Amino acid sequence: MWYIQYVTAQQLAGFRQYKYSAVDSNPLSVYIMQPLWNRIVKIVPLWIAPNLLTLTGFLMILVHYFILSIYDWDYTASGSSPGLIPAWVWGFGAFASFLAYALDSVDGKHARRTQSSSPLGELFDHGLDSWAISIFPLSFFSICSRDNGKVGVPVSIMYFSLIVVSLNFMFSHWEKYNTGVLFLPWGYDISQVVTVGMYLLTAVFGVEVWHKPFVFGYYLTDILLMLIIVCCVFISLPQTLYNINLAYREKTLLKDSLYEGLLPLLSPMLLFTLLTIWVFLSPCDILVKQTRLFLWMAGVMFSNVICRMIICQMTITRSEVLHWLLIPLTVMVYTATAGFQGRWEEPILAAFTIFVTAVHIHYGVCVGKQLSQHFNIYIFSLKKYTK
């Protein structure tokens, strides 16, 4: 069950040739955060495996997300009952977010420090990042609250914000798929610092601080969401296109045709197209009825699609044309929007969400085991792998 060979022989050979190449030009990262991480990594015990740091950070934000789900399943607590979510939950959110940010930033440094750097470590890091990229906004939405006529944001804005954030992550790895270089997006460090700050302010002053008009009748949460969209659409995307165009002019592109270069975008675009059709044509208004469940499912499916893109860009192999999970999703969307699911649409969504989550976890475990055997290393230990 846990030994399915998801990584092809060609990709395994590509991993053997892989060399990490990244560019970080963000002043916040270069002049402030990196010096801090260089200090923090020195206190990490040398016996700890770098992947264990990565996993710990991911689990922290996951635990915080589940705690918020208990107090605020339908994203109404902050708007209707501001005191319903205890201050300690927001304080823990600040701690978990900063710890995840720090561990995600020092894991690579620690790997070089312990001479344990490997393609498995980078794939593990970016794979968890592709999942975390949806969990961060899903937790942040509990501060915003869904629109209740007085405060909050519409669930449709939550959904499109998730799409924008996800596409921003995707474009970074699509850029590397074509250029061979990962240009780290400026928005990552900024968003992490802002997230920690927001949780701290909420823990001290309560969610009410975000539900008061700030400028021209707009709330702070509205402004932050607009800034996220503006940064992604008007800063990150143009930067990605510029870097790809520069590689084209310098004749360093890894793909020799427009079709091959655009191929990794097909499955993510079809994914969000199908989900958007479901959102707007659902007879029971599924996004309104099951906001958290639907957004979680969207985030997990996106992560699974992008993990395969990451493997292709690391191994310089051809991207798959269509992800197989798009087939059951198409069936789901058709049967739901055509009215065949009827009053069972919500429980069917729940079952489908459990299914895709299980599939994603199974994929991650199997790929990890396969690469662990291939490189003769353990995932969470610095000991050499023994068959």
Side-chain angles (χ1 to χ4, degrees), residues 225-298:
L225 288 175
M226 286 189 287
L227 284 175
I228 290 172
I229 294 173
V230 168
C231 288
C232 292
V233 175
F234 296 104
I235 297 179
S236 295
L237 179 57
Q239 185 180 31
T240 293
L241 296 177
Y242 171 79
N243 289 328
I244 292 178
N245 181 60
L246 182 63
Y248 171 75
R249 287 191 279 113
E250 294 180 350
K251 301 185 184 304
T252 58
L253 275 181
L254 299 178
K255 307 304 171 184
D256 55 6
S257 70
L258 182 64
Y259 172 76
E260 291 294 333
L262 294 176
L263 190 58
L265 301 183
L266 182 58
S267 287
M269 292 305 182
L270 283 176
L271 168 64
F272 286 124
T273 299
L274 288 168
L275 291 175
T276 302
I277 291 173
W278 193 355
V279 165
F280 283 101
L281 299 183
S282 169
C284 82
D285 210 354
I286 193 67
L287 183 62
V288 174
K289 293 287 185 63
Q290 292 293 340
T291 306
R292 187 177 290 275
L293 206 58
F294 191 91
L295 296 180
W296 171 270
M297 179 269 295

Side-chain angles (χ1 to χ4, degrees), residues 79-225:
S80 59
S81 305
L84 186 60
I85 303 177
W88 71 263
V89 174
W90 303 118
F92 177 74
F95 169 73
S97 297
F98 179 77
L99 186 61
Y101 178 29
L103 294 179
D104 188 46
S105 299
V106 305
D107 54 3
K109 298 178 185 295
H110 185 61
R112 291 185 288 273
R113 183 168 167 250
T114 55
Q115 298 182 342
S116 59
S117 297
S118 71
L120 171 57
E122 182 178 341
L123 178 61
F124 188 74
D125 187 352
H126 293 319
L128 289 182
D129 285 345
S130 71
W131 196 349
I133 202 70
S134 65
I135 299 175
F136 276 117
L138 293 190
S139 298
F140 167 72
F141 293 152
S142 283
I143 290 180
C144 300
S145 177
R146 68 194 296 166
D147 186 15
N148 61 9
K150 296 180 180 179
V151 297
V153 298
V155 292
S156 58
I157 297 298
M158 293 182 181
Y159 169 66
F160 284 113
S161 297
L162 177 63
I163 290 179
V164 169
V165 171
S166 300
L167 292 181
N168 185 55
F169 182 87
M170 178 195 73
F171 284 133
S172 293
H173 289 279
W174 172 63
E175 181 179 7
K176 187 180 180 184
Y177 177 84
N178 284 280
T179 66
V181 180
L182 179 63
F183 294 88
L184 300 175
W186 284 27
Y188 173 71
D189 291 279
I190 296 172
S191 65
Q192 294 302 298
V193 172
V194 169
T195 298
V196 173
M198 289 191 67
Y199 283 140
L200 284 175
L201 286 174
T202 307
V204 175
F205 300 106
V207 293
E208 296 89 344
V209 70
W210 308 110
H211 297 158
K212 297 176 182 178
F214 184 64
V215 178
F216 302 118
Y218 289 99
Y219 296 85
L220 275 172
T221 49
D222 297 328
I223 295 172
L224 284 172
L225 288 175

